[in-house]
Amino acid sequence: MKDDEILRHRLILALLLVAPAAWAADNPMWRSGFTWSCTFSSVIRCERATDCLSSGQGGKIQVAYRENQLIDPAGKPHAIKRHYVQTVAGSPIGSEVKIELDTNEVIWLSPADPAGTFSDNWIGAMLSPKAGVIVQELRPLICTPLN
């Protein structure tokens, strides 16, 4: 091989090794995987004319970052409009990930173990604004990486 070819191969190899680390820096969840399964064991519904009530309704959603979508409990995909990491100086929460969907639903997640020593789980909530008698739903989430 010529020196130019060797240099080009080394550069390509270096880019392939550095790229996953750069992607992981964008979203701390990506260090553990790009697809997440999130379960909830209750839904809190707030109605216009009454107080908020909790039900024992459970379910599962899936966040697929590579496909840029969320799969709802019925199996229907929804596009992720945007997601980002937020860190507040002085907050006991190291950082949190916010996911906004095309349905105007929002998910906030924080690592259960920010160091990742004991757990890869993320916990948080999904807020679903509604139009009609029910004005808001909240689902407490526990999310685990699938890959």
Side-chain angles (χ1 to χ4, degrees), residues 112-129:
D113 174 17
T117 305
F118 303 105
S119 174
D120 287 333
N121 291 346
W122 283 62
I123 56 175
M126 179 175 183
L127 294 173
S128 303

Side-chain angles (χ1 to χ4, degrees), residues 41-79:
S41 57
S42 66
V43 177
I44 300 169
R45 288 186 176 88
C46 299
E47 295 184 13
R48 245 189 281 160
T50 64
D51 289 335
C52 300
L53 298 172
S54 179
S55 73
Q57 177 187 352
K60 188 179 284 192
I61 62 172
Q62 189 176 78
V63 177
Y65 283 112
R66 281 197 174 129
E67 291 79 22
N68 204 38
Q69 67 182 8
L70 175 133
I71 308 298
D72 71 16
K76 183 178 176 190
H78 300 280

Side-chain angles (χ1 to χ4, degrees), residues 22-49:
W23 293 334
D26 291 343
N27 182 329
M29 293 179 80
W30 295 352
R31 288 188 293 255
S32 299
F34 294 106
T35 305
W36 291 75
S37 176
C38 302
T39 59
F40 57 92
S41 57
S42 66
V43 177
I44 300 169
R45 288 186 176 88
C46 299
E47 295 184 13
R48 245 189 281 160

Side-chain angles (χ1 to χ4, degrees), residues 70 76-79 81 100-106 126-129:
L70 175 133
K76 183 178 176 190
H78 300 280
K81 279 198 300 194
E100 297 175 2
L101 304 174
D102 64 350
T103 58
N104 289 327
E105 293 173 292
V106 179
M126 179 175 183
L127 294 173
S128 303

